[in-house]
């Protein structure tokens, strides 16, 4: 039986989540935690060795449907807890799209995979930006809608919003992720912010303010100005809290980590999931996160995007 394995990285959002859904800027780094998918020819549809109709996996269903593949065995293996705010579902979509295309011999460049992975995410969530899928497909670091960034890798438009995605060469910095252990679904959190923003002028101003902070923060990241970037991350967390996407567990970890780092914030959709801290003392921040009930991980950035890892 022929098979193909592909993998794609998770990510954390340095600045700009939620506001990016409305076309505001964002900056995101891919991390050294990956989602791997192995697809093997099969006479039945199997997921991790068991028959499955994929009704609980709309991303997978979408991707197989795109290629009219009805019988296949899919094996998954992930370093990314699902619902942790680290982009596990975007990484799954990118890895599966790449693996299926490799197995059936369809050529795939980054643009083919981003288009398919974003459609898969959108079909599952019904709302959202192509930020997570772009970070997973391209790897390293990306910016979204930062005006001075030159030629975009790709531009995606939907529902009156436009996202120009560019590569960013971020200097080496150490970030610590703290996972609350609480799984949170992105779709309902994005929907909650959308309702608030549509009904309330103040919430709209907060979304604009996140956009401005993100522009300043991207400059600070490029200049390797950790003090300024940290301040802006902490400020961004306060704005995200006002939008209602933080929670007591996240605030506890962010407040504790901010005391001993340049700055800290929730990352991703919020509502649980994870926070990040920018630090020169990762072990100290890890200990603080542990003491406050979270699971710390020191993450490395500058990693490749989606890759074919094996074929047979
Ligand atoms: C989730 O990782 C990021 C959000 O901005 C949603 C999105 O961009 O689709 C909350």
């Amino acid at each position: 039986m022929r098979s193909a394995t592909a993998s794609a990285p998770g990510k954390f959002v340095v600045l700009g989540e939620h506001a990016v859904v409305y076309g505001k800027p964002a900056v995101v780094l891919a991390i050294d935690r990956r989602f791997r998918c192995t697809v093997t020819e099969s006479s039945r549809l199997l997921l991790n060795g068991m028959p499955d109709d994929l009704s609980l996996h709309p991303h997978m269903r979408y991707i197989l449907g795109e290629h009219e593949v009805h019988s296949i065995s899919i094996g998954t293996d992930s370093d990314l807890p699902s619902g942790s705010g680290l982009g596990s579902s975007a990484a799954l979509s990118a890895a599966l799209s790449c693996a299926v295309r490799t197995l059936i011999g369809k050529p795939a460049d980054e643009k083919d995979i981003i288009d398919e992975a974003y459609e898969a995410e959108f079909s599952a969530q019904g709302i959202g930006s192509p930020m997570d899928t772009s970070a997973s497909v391209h790897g390293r670091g990306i910016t979204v809608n930062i005006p001075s960034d030159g030629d975009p890798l790709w531009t995606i438009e939907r529902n009156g919003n436009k996202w120009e995605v560019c590569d960013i060469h971020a200097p080496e910095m150490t970030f610590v992720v703290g996972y609350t252990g609480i799984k949170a679904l992105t779709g309902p959190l994005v929907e909650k912010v959308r309702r608030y923003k549509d009904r309330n002028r103040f919430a709209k101003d907060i979304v604009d303010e996140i956009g401005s902070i993100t522009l300043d923060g991207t400059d600070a990241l490029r200049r390797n100005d950790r003090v300024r970037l940290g301040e802006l991350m902490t400020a961004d967390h306060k704005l995200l809290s006002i939008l209602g996407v933080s929670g007591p567990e996240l605030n506890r970890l962010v407040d504790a980590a901010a005391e001993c780092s340049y700055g800290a914030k929730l990352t991703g959709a919020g509502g649980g999931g994870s926070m990040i801290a920018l630090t020169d003392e990762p072990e100290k921040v890890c200990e603080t996160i542990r003491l406050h009930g979270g699971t710390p991980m020191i993450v490395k950035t500058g990693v490749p995007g989606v890759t074919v890892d094996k074929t047979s």
Side-chain angles (χ1 to χ4, degrees):
M1 297 279 183
R2 289 186 318 115
S3 78
T5 301
S7 66
K11 61 81 189 62
F12 64 85
V13 186
V14 183
L15 291 165
E17 54 272 268
H18 285 289
V20 70
V21 173
Y22 313 101
K24 303 288 174 200
V27 57
V28 185
L29 298 175
I31 58 172
D32 60 339
R33 300 287 195 286
R34 298 182 78 82
F35 197 108
R36 285 165 287 274
C37 271
T38 298
V39 291
T40 308
E41 289 173 340
S42 164
S43 55
R44 288 193 301 164
L45 186 52
L46 299 174
L47 178 59
N48 292 323
M50 301 295 287
D52 201 304
D53 64 1
L54 300 185
S55 51
L56 297 178
H57 303 280
H59 316 65
M60 294 186 175
R61 205 146 68 160
Y62 177 88
I63 290 167
L64 296 191
E66 278 298 284
H67 300 290
E68 295 180 11
V69 171
H70 305 294
S71 313
I72 196 168
S73 169
I74 303 171
T76 62
D77 168 33
S78 177
D79 312 323
L80 299 156
S82 71
S84 63
L86 300 176
S88 66
S89 90
L92 177 162
S93 299
L96 182 63
S97 165
C98 181
V100 170
R101 283 169 171 270
T102 304
L103 186 74
I104 63 178
K106 256 197 200 167
D109 60 17
E110 278 193 353
K111 181 69 169 83
D112 296 322
I113 298 177
I114 175 66
D115 284 343
E116 196 163 286
Y118 178 48
E119 286 305 326
E121 286 284 286
F122 202 87
S123 75
Q125 265 173 36
I127 192 167
S129 78
M131 172 181 73
D132 287 12
T133 32
S134 295
S136 229
V137 170
H138 182 66
R140 294 179 285 277
I142 57 151
T143 61
V144 184
N145 292 349
I146 304 277
S148 59
D149 264 5
D151 282 348
L153 296 164
W154 47 75
T155 301
I156 294 176
E157 291 186 48
R158 168 147 304 172
N159 298 341
N161 291 307
K162 183 171 171 187
W163 297 279
E164 273 191 3
V165 177
C166 293
D167 179 76
I168 182 172
H169 294 285
E172 211 167 282
M173 292 183 180
T174 309
F175 291 90
V176 174
V177 169
Y179 176 38
T180 59
I182 300 168
K183 289 186 190 304
L185 287 175
T186 300
L189 287 154
V190 174
E191 192 52 44
K192 178 177 173 181
V193 172
R194 189 192 61 74
R195 278 199 307 273
Y196 189 21
K197 184 188 89 52
D198 286 353
R199 287 179 196 160
N200 190 302
R201 176 75 226 179
F202 173 65
K204 197 174 166 301
D205 289 346
I206 299 281
V207 167
D208 291 344
E209 180 64 19
I210 292 176
S212 312
I213 281 190
T214 303
L215 288 179
D216 281 1
T218 307
D219 263 3
L221 178 69
R222 288 211 174 90
R223 291 194 313 271
N224 205 358
D225 183 344
R226 290 152 208 238
V227 174
R228 183 69 183 140
L229 178 57
E231 278 168 11
L232 291 166
M233 285 166 56
T234 306
D236 190 28
H237 181 77
K238 296 206 169 84
L239 297 176
L240 289 164
S241 304
I242 296 171
L243 288 180
V245 294
S246 190
E249 296 81 4
L250 272 170
N251 288 340
R252 190 164 57 235
L253 297 186
V254 167
D255 292 347
E259 291 284 303
C260 56
S261 63
Y262 292 110
K265 63 180 276 290
L266 70 82
T267 187
S274 300
M275 47 71 67
I276 48 161
L278 173 61
T279 179
D280 292 333
E281 295 182 292
E283 294 304 338
K284 191 165 160 191
V285 174
C286 284
E287 188 50 27
T288 302
I289 288 172
R290 227 176 265 118
L291 276 174
H292 288 82
T295 305
M297 315 174 216
I298 301 172
V299 290
K300 285 211 169 67
T301 58
V303 301
V306 67
T307 50
V308 176
D309 299 336
K310 200 169 148 199
T311 52
S312 63

